[in-house]
Amino acid sequence: MPEVISKDGTVIGYDIEGHGPLVILVAGATQYRAIDRTRTPNLQKQLARQFTVINYDRRGRGDSSDTWPYAVQREIEDIAALISANGGEARIFGMSSGAVLAMEAAAAMPRVIKSLALYEPPIDPAASVAHYRDEHKTMATLAAEGRASDMMSRFVLGMGMSEDVLKGFQDDPIWPIYAAAGLTLEHDYRVLADARASDVPPERWQNAIMPVLVLDGDKSLPFMAAGADWVASTLHNVERVTLADQGHEYDPAVLAPLLTVFFERGSVQVH
């Protein structure tokens, strides 16, 4: 199984498939290869018809190690290491909180990342800056205490899961696989808190001069559309698209053809 060593010595494990220009898939909160055995691998397989596609475990998950203390810059360096080891330039697809991380990477590496597609960055413009700061502080405290399972429970309840469903989930044999990624939720909450440090998008994002495609689904929570609009509002070279009949858990068969066109042409518009 291939791996790269990030700048701080962290080992990043990944799968690679296909031939052609490099595409890197950046996962959202809780996602890693031991859990996500269908959606992201299917997206990878479909994109691999035209591209070389990397699906990697973000630091602290699955086959990737972790190094304390965490900073968003460390995850940008992880993406940079993957790019450096596989040709020196890439197209990036980010999912959920991974979309916000991908946005940060694109702003930091505008000459290396050639195009960027973001699916439902989970930023609610109606929520306060203090909300994002406080949520991260809570998760950081739990992480410092090693309370991975409690972090995962808090996360899924925050996503709308009921207490009864959570109890059943915790009794399921798959729960320990999810809980194993619990400590890394602090990473995602830090990414979001850093992005939402003010009521307007970070000025640094304007460094992302490459073509950017910002997506949401019309069956998702309303704030996902508002968050996609918020991210897109600061970018120079952006297309904003809403996919019909898609929620936060996208269908790879719907998304892959659109991404293929975008990564080939830098646009999904018909000229």
Side-chain angles (χ1 to χ4, degrees):
M1 184 176 297
E3 59 185 36
V4 296
I5 307 300
S6 195
K7 184 177 181 179
D8 68 351
T10 301
V11 177
I12 304 298
Y14 65 99
D15 295 323
I16 187 166
E17 184 176 356
H19 299 281
L22 181 66
V23 172
I24 297 178
L25 309 178
V26 183
T30 78
Q31 293 177 306
Y32 65 111
R33 290 174 297 159
I35 288 176
D36 184 0
R37 297 182 179 273
T38 54
R39 182 172 290 101
T40 304
N42 286 343
L43 180 64
Q44 180 182 27
K45 187 173 294 296
Q46 292 184 55
L47 291 175
R49 297 167 185 164
Q50 303 289 336
F51 304 99
T52 299
V53 188
I54 285 177
N55 177 25
Y56 75 103
D57 288 336
R58 285 175 54 189
R59 58 173 51 211
R61 305 178 194 173
D63 292 318
S64 295
S65 64
D66 205 357
T67 304
W68 189 89
Y70 175 78
V72 176
Q73 179 61 29
R74 302 292 83 77
E75 287 214 84
I76 294 172
E77 291 166 1
D78 299 344
I79 295 171
L82 289 165
I83 295 172
S84 179
N86 291 280
E89 64 180 44
R91 292 137 180 86
I92 306 289
F93 169 70
M95 163 66 186
S96 193
S97 57
V100 184
L101 174 59
M103 184 70 251
E104 298 284 8
M109 297 183 282
R111 303 295 179 184
V112 171
I113 295 176
K114 299 302 181 182
S115 56
L116 175 69
L118 310 175
Y119 190 81
E120 296 204 340
I123 294 176
D124 184 354
S128 69
V129 171
H131 167 79
Y132 282 92
R133 181 182 63 243
D134 293 346
E135 285 294 299
H136 170 252
K137 183 178 179 180
T138 298
M139 283 297 194
T141 298
L142 292 173
E145 296 171 356
R147 294 166 60 184
S149 185
D150 289 342
M151 292 172 71
M152 186 61 70
S153 297
R154 180 181 176 87
F155 173 75
V156 297
L157 288 171
M159 294 297 103
M161 185 177 287
S162 70
E163 293 277 1
D164 287 343
V165 172
L166 174 59
K167 187 178 186 306
F169 191 11
Q170 291 170 331
D171 291 336
D172 193 292
I174 201 172
W175 175 254
I177 301 175
Y178 277 85
L183 294 180
T184 69
L185 286 166
E186 187 270 335
H187 302 175
D188 295 277
Y189 279 74
R190 173 77 68 83
V191 169
L192 295 178
D194 282 5
R196 194 64 173 80
S198 75
D199 288 329
V200 297
E203 186 176 354
R204 62 185 176 272
W205 287 3
Q206 295 180 34
N207 293 333
I209 57 174
M210 72 290 294
V212 183
L213 176 64
V214 183
L215 300 156
D216 75 311
D218 68 358
K219 301 299 184 185
S220 201
L221 294 170
F223 85 85
M224 291 295 183
D229 290 341
W230 190 82
V231 171
S233 69
T234 195
L235 302 175
H236 303 288
N237 189 8
V238 63
E239 291 180 65
R240 174 72 178 86
V241 174
T242 296
L243 300 181
D245 299 319
Q246 297 297 297
H248 196 56
E249 303 297 334
Y250 63 81
D251 181 350
V254 172
L255 188 59
L258 187 70
L259 293 181
T260 297
V261 170
F262 177 68
F263 287 142
E264 285 181 335
R265 302 178 184 174
S267 174
V268 295
Q269 299 296 324
V270 178
H271 298 291

Short mmCIF file of all heavy atoms in Angstrom, two decimals, residues 148-194:
data_model
loop_
_atom_site.label_atom_id
_atom_site.label_comp_id
_atom_site.label_asym_id
_atom_site.label_seq_id
_atom_site.Cartn_x
_atom_site.Cartn_y
_atom_site.Cartn_z
N ALA A 148 -12.49 9.86 22.46
CA ALA A 148 -12.84 9.71 21.05
C ALA A 148 -14.30 9.31 20.86
O ALA A 148 -15.00 9.86 20.00
CB ALA A 148 -11.93 8.67 20.40
N SER A 149 -14.77 8.36 21.65
CA SER A 149 -16.16 7.89 21.50
C SER A 149 -17.14 9.01 21.84
O SER A 149 -18.16 9.19 21.15
CB SER A 149 -16.40 6.68 22.39
OG SER A 149 -17.70 6.14 22.18
N ASP A 150 -16.85 9.78 22.88
CA ASP A 150 -17.73 10.90 23.24
C ASP A 150 -17.74 11.95 22.14
O ASP A 150 -18.78 12.57 21.87
CB ASP A 150 -17.26 11.54 24.54
CG ASP A 150 -17.51 10.65 25.75
OD1 ASP A 150 -18.34 9.72 25.65
OD2 ASP A 150 -16.88 10.89 26.80
N MET A 151 -16.61 12.16 21.50
CA MET A 151 -16.54 13.13 20.40
C MET A 151 -17.40 12.68 19.23
O MET A 151 -18.13 13.47 18.63
CB MET A 151 -15.10 13.33 19.96
CG MET A 151 -14.24 14.02 21.01
SD MET A 151 -12.49 14.07 20.58
CE MET A 151 -12.51 15.27 19.23
N MET A 152 -17.32 11.39 18.91
CA MET A 152 -18.13 10.88 17.80
C MET A 152 -19.62 10.97 18.14
O MET A 152 -20.44 11.33 17.30
CB MET A 152 -17.74 9.44 17.47
CG MET A 152 -18.42 8.89 16.23
SD MET A 152 -18.05 9.81 14.72
CE MET A 152 -16.31 9.38 14.49
N SER A 153 -19.97 10.65 19.38
CA SER A 153 -21.37 10.75 19.80
C SER A 153 -21.87 12.18 19.68
O SER A 153 -22.97 12.43 19.17
CB SER A 153 -21.52 10.27 21.25
OG SER A 153 -21.17 8.90 21.37
N ARG A 154 -21.07 13.14 20.16
CA ARG A 154 -21.46 14.54 20.08
C ARG A 154 -21.64 14.97 18.63
O ARG A 154 -22.58 15.69 18.28
CB ARG A 154 -20.40 15.42 20.77
CG ARG A 154 -20.73 16.90 20.75
CD ARG A 154 -19.63 17.71 21.42
NE ARG A 154 -19.91 19.14 21.32
CZ ARG A 154 -20.64 19.83 22.15
NH1 ARG A 154 -21.20 19.23 23.20
NH2 ARG A 154 -20.85 21.13 21.97
N PHE A 155 -20.75 14.49 17.78
CA PHE A 155 -20.81 14.87 16.37
C PHE A 155 -22.09 14.37 15.71
O PHE A 155 -22.80 15.14 15.05
CB PHE A 155 -19.59 14.32 15.63
CG PHE A 155 -19.64 14.50 14.14
CD1 PHE A 155 -19.41 15.75 13.57
CD2 PHE A 155 -19.93 13.44 13.30
CE1 PHE A 155 -19.46 15.94 12.20
CE2 PHE A 155 -19.99 13.62 11.92
CZ PHE A 155 -19.76 14.86 11.38
N VAL A 156 -22.41 13.08 15.87
CA VAL A 156 -23.58 12.53 15.18
C VAL A 156 -24.88 13.09 15.75
O VAL A 156 -25.85 13.29 15.01
CB VAL A 156 -23.58 10.99 15.17
CG1 VAL A 156 -22.37 10.46 14.41
CG2 VAL A 156 -23.63 10.40 16.57
N LEU A 157 -24.90 13.38 17.06
CA LEU A 157 -26.09 14.04 17.61
C LEU A 157 -26.25 15.43 17.02
O LEU A 157 -27.36 15.87 16.73
CB LEU A 157 -25.99 14.11 19.14
CG LEU A 157 -26.15 12.80 19.90
CD1 LEU A 157 -25.81 13.00 21.37
CD2 LEU A 157 -27.56 12.24 19.75
N GLY A 158 -25.15 16.12 16.83
CA GLY A 158 -25.19 17.44 16.22
C GLY A 158 -25.65 17.41 14.77
O GLY A 158 -26.17 18.41 14.26
N MET A 159 -25.45 16.27 14.12
CA MET A 159 -25.88 16.11 12.73
C MET A 159 -27.35 15.68 12.63
O MET A 159 -27.86 15.46 11.54
CB MET A 159 -25.00 15.08 12.01
CG MET A 159 -23.55 15.51 11.83
SD MET A 159 -23.37 16.98 10.77
CE MET A 159 -23.07 18.24 12.01
N GLY A 160 -28.02 15.53 13.79
CA GLY A 160 -29.45 15.23 13.78
C GLY A 160 -29.83 13.83 14.19
O GLY A 160 -31.02 13.50 14.20
N MET A 161 -28.88 12.99 14.54
CA MET A 161 -29.21 11.65 14.99
C MET A 161 -29.89 11.71 16.36
O MET A 161 -29.47 12.49 17.23
CB MET A 161 -27.95 10.78 15.08
CG MET A 161 -28.21 9.33 15.44
SD MET A 161 -26.69 8.32 15.44
CE MET A 161 -26.36 8.20 13.67
N SER A 162 -30.92 10.90 16.56
CA SER A 162 -31.62 10.88 17.85
C SER A 162 -30.83 10.06 18.87
O SER A 162 -29.97 9.24 18.52
CB SER A 162 -33.02 10.27 17.69
OG SER A 162 -32.92 8.88 17.43
N GLU A 163 -31.13 10.28 20.15
CA GLU A 163 -30.47 9.54 21.22
C GLU A 163 -30.73 8.04 21.09
O GLU A 163 -29.83 7.22 21.32
CB GLU A 163 -30.98 10.03 22.59
CG GLU A 163 -30.57 11.45 22.93
CD GLU A 163 -29.17 11.53 23.51
OE1 GLU A 163 -28.51 10.48 23.63
OE2 GLU A 163 -28.75 12.65 23.86
N ASP A 164 -31.95 7.66 20.71
CA ASP A 164 -32.28 6.23 20.57
C ASP A 164 -31.49 5.59 19.44
O ASP A 164 -30.97 4.47 19.58
CB ASP A 164 -33.78 6.06 20.32
CG ASP A 164 -34.61 6.33 21.56
OD1 ASP A 164 -34.03 6.34 22.66
OD2 ASP A 164 -35.84 6.53 21.42
N VAL A 165 -31.40 6.28 18.31
CA VAL A 165 -30.64 5.74 17.18
C VAL A 165 -29.16 5.66 17.54
O VAL A 165 -28.48 4.69 17.21
CB VAL A 165 -30.86 6.59 15.92
CG1 VAL A 165 -29.92 6.15 14.80
CG2 VAL A 165 -32.31 6.48 15.46
N LEU A 166 -28.65 6.67 18.26
CA LEU A 166 -27.25 6.65 18.68
C LEU A 166 -26.97 5.45 19.57
O LEU A 166 -25.93 4.78 19.41
CB LEU A 166 -26.90 7.94 19.41
CG LEU A 166 -25.50 7.98 20.05
CD1 LEU A 166 -24.42 7.78 19.00
CD2 LEU A 166 -25.29 9.28 20.81
N LYS A 167 -27.87 5.14 20.49
CA LYS A 167 -27.65 4.00 21.38
C LYS A 167 -27.54 2.71 20.57
O LYS A 167 -26.68 1.86 20.82
CB LYS A 167 -28.78 3.88 22.40
CG LYS A 167 -28.53 2.82 23.45
CD LYS A 167 -29.64 2.76 24.48
CE LYS A 167 -29.30 1.79 25.60
NZ LYS A 167 -28.94 0.45 25.12
N GLY A 168 -28.42 2.55 19.57
CA GLY A 168 -28.32 1.38 18.72
C GLY A 168 -27.03 1.35 17.93
O GLY A 168 -26.41 0.29 17.75
N PHE A 169 -26.60 2.51 17.46
CA PHE A 169 -25.35 2.64 16.72
C PHE A 169 -24.17 2.21 17.60
O PHE A 169 -23.27 1.48 17.17
CB PHE A 169 -25.20 4.08 16.26
CG PHE A 169 -24.10 4.34 15.27
CD1 PHE A 169 -23.42 3.31 14.63
CD2 PHE A 169 -23.73 5.64 14.97
CE1 PHE A 169 -22.40 3.57 13.72
CE2 PHE A 169 -22.72 5.92 14.06
CZ PHE A 169 -22.05 4.87 13.44
N GLN A 170 -24.18 2.65 18.86
CA GLN A 170 -23.09 2.33 19.77
C GLN A 170 -23.03 0.84 20.10
O GLN A 170 -21.97 0.33 20.47
CB GLN A 170 -23.22 3.15 21.05
CG GLN A 170 -22.97 4.64 20.85
CD GLN A 170 -23.34 5.47 22.05
OE1 GLN A 170 -24.23 5.10 22.82
NE2 GLN A 170 -22.67 6.61 22.21
N ASP A 171 -24.18 0.14 19.97
CA ASP A 171 -24.21 -1.30 20.23
C ASP A 171 -23.82 -2.12 19.00
O ASP A 171 -23.65 -3.34 19.08
CB ASP A 171 -25.61 -1.72 20.69
CG ASP A 171 -25.96 -1.19 22.06
OD1 ASP A 171 -25.02 -0.90 22.84
OD2 ASP A 171 -27.16 -1.04 22.36
N ASP A 172 -23.70 -1.44 17.86
CA ASP A 172 -23.35 -2.12 16.61
C ASP A 172 -21.85 -2.41 16.56
O ASP A 172 -21.04 -1.58 17.01
CB ASP A 172 -23.75 -1.23 15.43
CG ASP A 172 -23.71 -1.97 14.10
OD1 ASP A 172 -22.60 -2.32 13.65
OD2 ASP A 172 -24.78 -2.19 13.51
N PRO A 173 -21.44 -3.56 16.03
CA PRO A 173 -20.01 -3.87 15.94
C PRO A 173 -19.20 -2.86 15.14
O PRO A 173 -17.97 -2.79 15.29
CB PRO A 173 -19.99 -5.25 15.25
CG PRO A 173 -21.31 -5.85 15.56
CD PRO A 173 -22.28 -4.70 15.60
N ILE A 174 -19.87 -2.06 14.29
CA ILE A 174 -19.13 -1.08 13.48
C ILE A 174 -18.78 0.18 14.27
O ILE A 174 -17.92 0.96 13.86
CB ILE A 174 -19.94 -0.72 12.21
CG1 ILE A 174 -19.00 -0.14 11.14
CG2 ILE A 174 -21.05 0.27 12.53
CD1 ILE A 174 -19.65 0.07 9.80
N TRP A 175 -19.43 0.39 15.45
CA TRP A 175 -19.19 1.61 16.21
C TRP A 175 -17.71 1.85 16.52
O TRP A 175 -17.22 2.97 16.35
CB TRP A 175 -20.01 1.62 17.49
CG TRP A 175 -19.71 2.79 18.38
CD1 TRP A 175 -18.99 2.80 19.55
CD2 TRP A 175 -20.09 4.16 18.16
NE1 TRP A 175 -18.91 4.06 20.07
CE2 TRP A 175 -19.57 4.91 19.24
CE3 TRP A 175 -20.82 4.82 17.17
CZ2 TRP A 175 -19.76 6.29 19.35
CZ3 TRP A 175 -21.01 6.19 17.27
CH2 TRP A 175 -20.48 6.91 18.35
N PRO A 176 -16.94 0.84 16.96
CA PRO A 176 -15.53 1.11 17.26
C PRO A 176 -14.73 1.62 16.07
O PRO A 176 -13.77 2.37 16.25
CB PRO A 176 -15.00 -0.26 17.73
CG PRO A 176 -16.20 -0.97 18.25
CD PRO A 176 -17.32 -0.53 17.35
N ILE A 177 -15.14 1.23 14.85
CA ILE A 177 -14.43 1.72 13.67
C ILE A 177 -14.69 3.21 13.49
O ILE A 177 -13.79 3.98 13.13
CB ILE A 177 -14.87 0.92 12.42
CG1 ILE A 177 -14.59 -0.56 12.61
CG2 ILE A 177 -14.17 1.44 11.17
CD1 ILE A 177 -15.10 -1.43 11.48
N TYR A 178 -15.93 3.63 13.75
CA TYR A 178 -16.25 5.06 13.69
C TYR A 178 -15.57 5.81 14.84
O TYR A 178 -14.97 6.87 14.65
CB TYR A 178 -17.76 5.28 13.74
CG TYR A 178 -18.43 5.13 12.41
CD1 TYR A 178 -18.83 3.89 11.94
CD2 TYR A 178 -18.67 6.23 11.61
CE1 TYR A 178 -19.44 3.75 10.71
CE2 TYR A 178 -19.29 6.11 10.37
CZ TYR A 178 -19.67 4.86 9.93
OH TYR A 178 -20.27 4.73 8.71
N ALA A 179 -15.69 5.25 16.05
CA ALA A 179 -15.14 5.93 17.22
C ALA A 179 -13.63 6.09 17.11
O ALA A 179 -13.06 7.04 17.66
CB ALA A 179 -15.49 5.15 18.49
N ALA A 180 -12.97 5.19 16.37
CA ALA A 180 -11.51 5.29 16.21
C ALA A 180 -11.10 6.58 15.54
O ALA A 180 -9.97 7.05 15.73
CB ALA A 180 -11.00 4.09 15.39
N ALA A 181 -12.00 7.17 14.77
CA ALA A 181 -11.71 8.45 14.11
C ALA A 181 -12.18 9.64 14.93
O ALA A 181 -12.04 10.78 14.50
CB ALA A 181 -12.38 8.49 12.74
N GLY A 182 -12.70 9.39 16.13
CA GLY A 182 -13.31 10.45 16.92
C GLY A 182 -12.37 11.58 17.25
O GLY A 182 -12.75 12.76 17.19
N LEU A 183 -11.13 11.27 17.61
CA LEU A 183 -10.20 12.31 18.00
C LEU A 183 -9.92 13.27 16.84
O LEU A 183 -9.64 14.46 17.06
CB LEU A 183 -8.88 11.71 18.50
CG LEU A 183 -8.95 10.90 19.80
CD1 LEU A 183 -7.57 10.38 20.16
CD2 LEU A 183 -9.53 11.72 20.94
N THR A 184 -10.01 12.77 15.61
CA THR A 184 -9.72 13.63 14.46
C THR A 184 -10.84 14.62 14.17
O THR A 184 -10.66 15.54 13.36
CB THR A 184 -9.46 12.80 13.19
OG1 THR A 184 -10.67 12.17 12.75
CG2 THR A 184 -8.39 11.75 13.42
N LEU A 185 -11.98 14.48 14.83
CA LEU A 185 -13.04 15.47 14.66
C LEU A 185 -12.57 16.85 15.10
O LEU A 185 -13.02 17.87 14.58
CB LEU A 185 -14.29 15.06 15.43
CG LEU A 185 -15.08 13.90 14.81
CD1 LEU A 185 -16.08 13.36 15.80
CD2 LEU A 185 -15.76 14.35 13.53
N GLU A 186 -11.64 16.89 16.05
CA GLU A 186 -11.07 18.18 16.45
C GLU A 186 -10.41 18.85 15.26
O GLU A 186 -10.45 20.08 15.14
CB GLU A 186 -10.05 17.98 17.57
CG GLU A 186 -9.53 19.28 18.17
CD GLU A 186 -8.28 19.83 17.47
OE1 GLU A 186 -7.54 19.03 16.88
OE2 GLU A 186 -8.06 21.05 17.52
N HIS A 187 -9.82 18.06 14.35
CA HIS A 187 -9.21 18.62 13.15
C HIS A 187 -10.26 19.34 12.30
O HIS A 187 -10.05 20.47 11.84
CB HIS A 187 -8.56 17.52 12.30
CG HIS A 187 -7.51 16.73 13.03
ND1 HIS A 187 -6.89 15.63 12.45
CD2 HIS A 187 -6.96 16.85 14.26
CE1 HIS A 187 -6.02 15.12 13.29
NE2 HIS A 187 -6.04 15.85 14.40
N ASP A 188 -11.38 18.66 12.08
CA ASP A 188 -12.42 19.24 11.22
C ASP A 188 -13.03 20.49 11.85
O ASP A 188 -13.30 21.48 11.16
CB ASP A 188 -13.51 18.20 10.95
CG ASP A 188 -12.98 17.03 10.14
OD1 ASP A 188 -12.92 17.15 8.92
OD2 ASP A 188 -12.59 16.01 10.75
N TYR A 189 -13.25 20.45 13.16
CA TYR A 189 -13.80 21.62 13.83
C TYR A 189 -12.80 22.78 13.80
O TYR A 189 -13.20 23.95 13.74
CB TYR A 189 -14.21 21.27 15.26
CG TYR A 189 -15.56 20.60 15.35
CD1 TYR A 189 -15.74 19.28 14.95
CD2 TYR A 189 -16.68 21.30 15.79
CE1 TYR A 189 -16.97 18.66 15.02
CE2 TYR A 189 -17.93 20.70 15.86
CZ TYR A 189 -18.07 19.37 15.48
OH TYR A 189 -19.30 18.76 15.53
N ARG A 190 -11.50 22.49 13.84
CA ARG A 190 -10.49 23.55 13.71
C ARG A 190 -10.52 24.14 12.30
O ARG A 190 -10.43 25.36 12.13
CB ARG A 190 -9.11 22.98 14.01
CG ARG A 190 -7.94 23.96 13.74
CD ARG A 190 -7.80 24.99 14.83
NE ARG A 190 -7.36 24.37 16.05
CZ ARG A 190 -6.08 24.10 16.35
NH1 ARG A 190 -5.11 24.42 15.50
NH2 ARG A 190 -5.77 23.52 17.48
N VAL A 191 -10.62 23.28 11.30
CA VAL A 191 -10.69 23.76 9.91
C VAL A 191 -11.86 24.72 9.75
O VAL A 191 -11.73 25.81 9.17
CB VAL A 191 -10.81 22.56 8.93
CG1 VAL A 191 -11.17 23.05 7.53
CG2 VAL A 191 -9.52 21.75 8.91
N LEU A 192 -13.02 24.32 10.27
CA LEU A 192 -14.21 25.16 10.13
C LEU A 192 -14.09 26.46 10.95
O LEU A 192 -14.47 27.53 10.49
CB LEU A 192 -15.46 24.39 10.55
CG LEU A 192 -15.83 23.19 9.68
CD1 LEU A 192 -17.05 22.48 10.24
CD2 LEU A 192 -16.07 23.60 8.24
N ALA A 193 -13.56 26.35 12.17
CA ALA A 193 -13.42 27.55 13.01
C ALA A 193 -12.44 28.54 12.39
O ALA A 193 -12.67 29.75 12.43
CB ALA A 193 -12.97 27.15 14.41
N ASP A 194 -11.35 28.04 11.82
CA ASP A 194 -10.39 28.94 11.17
C ASP A 194 -11.01 29.63 9.95
O ASP A 194 -10.76 30.80 9.70
CB ASP A 194 -9.15 28.17 10.74
CG ASP A 194 -8.21 27.88 11.90
OD1 ASP A 194 -8.55 28.19 13.05
OD2 ASP A 194 -7.11 27.32 11.65
#
